Amino acid sequence: MKRFILSTLLTLGFFCAGHAEDELVKNAAWSKVNPRGVPESWESRVSANNTFAVTQAADGNILKITVNDPAKTAFFMYRNLPLESGKRYTVSYEVKGSADSKYLLYCEWHRQSPGMAKAVLQSYNTRLQSPSGDWKKLTFTFSFPTDSRNAYMVLMAKQGEVEFRNLSFTLAK
């Protein structure tokens, strides 16, 4: 029995360690913040009267962005995603918000196909969304095109109060 329990714990530990290695976003759980409260490895672009906060919770740390001035920016960016041309990636996260909230969570990159004079921005999942008042898990999968570089991800609140947790960005299986 002890051998079975030990074997099970080792297997679970291996699975959890393997999953952490699969994560392409450093500090995806927002567990490390700098003295200003900004999650490490992330850029904050929250201006004017808009605010943000990271709070620890048992079900996953929460990044909350509140928009009091919709004319000003309120987003977080993760640059330099280590994506490879032609591969598929899956992004999943949980979100909830106030009754009037709207948000975007998208990926964007520069693409310069042969024969193009200059690179153009391409995006995936850029539809404005309205979260419910309860946590909802959302997932999207996309292919990173050939001739692309400088991939990044944006979590943006456009209106109201939006909360994110349990973000994951991995190679699609």
Side-chain angles (χ1 to χ4, degrees), residues 114-171:
M116 291 176 66
K118 64 180 190 176
V120 295
L121 276 178
Q122 271 194 321
S123 303
Y124 191 84
N125 201 50
T126 56
R127 190 188 71 207
L128 192 62
Q129 299 185 58
S130 298
S132 71
D134 297 317
W135 288 111
K136 181 176 180 182
K137 183 174 183 173
L138 298 170
T139 302
F140 63 90
T141 300
F142 68 96
S143 294
F144 188 57
T146 57
D147 307 317
S148 298
R149 58 186 165 75
N150 301 332
Y152 57 91
M153 178 174 43
V154 173
L155 286 71
M156 177 184 294
K158 297 291 282 179
Q159 181 176 311
E161 182 178 279
V162 181
E163 295 179 81
F164 300 96
R165 73 177 181 191
N166 297 324
L167 175 69
S168 176
F169 196 120
T170 59
L171 190 62

Side-chain angles (χ1 to χ4, degrees), residues 54-72:
V54 175
T55 55
Q56 294 182 345
D59 294 338
N61 294 339
I62 298 168
L63 172 63
K64 178 168 64 173
I65 306 172
T66 303
V67 176
N68 296 307
D69 184 351
K72 301 296 181 183

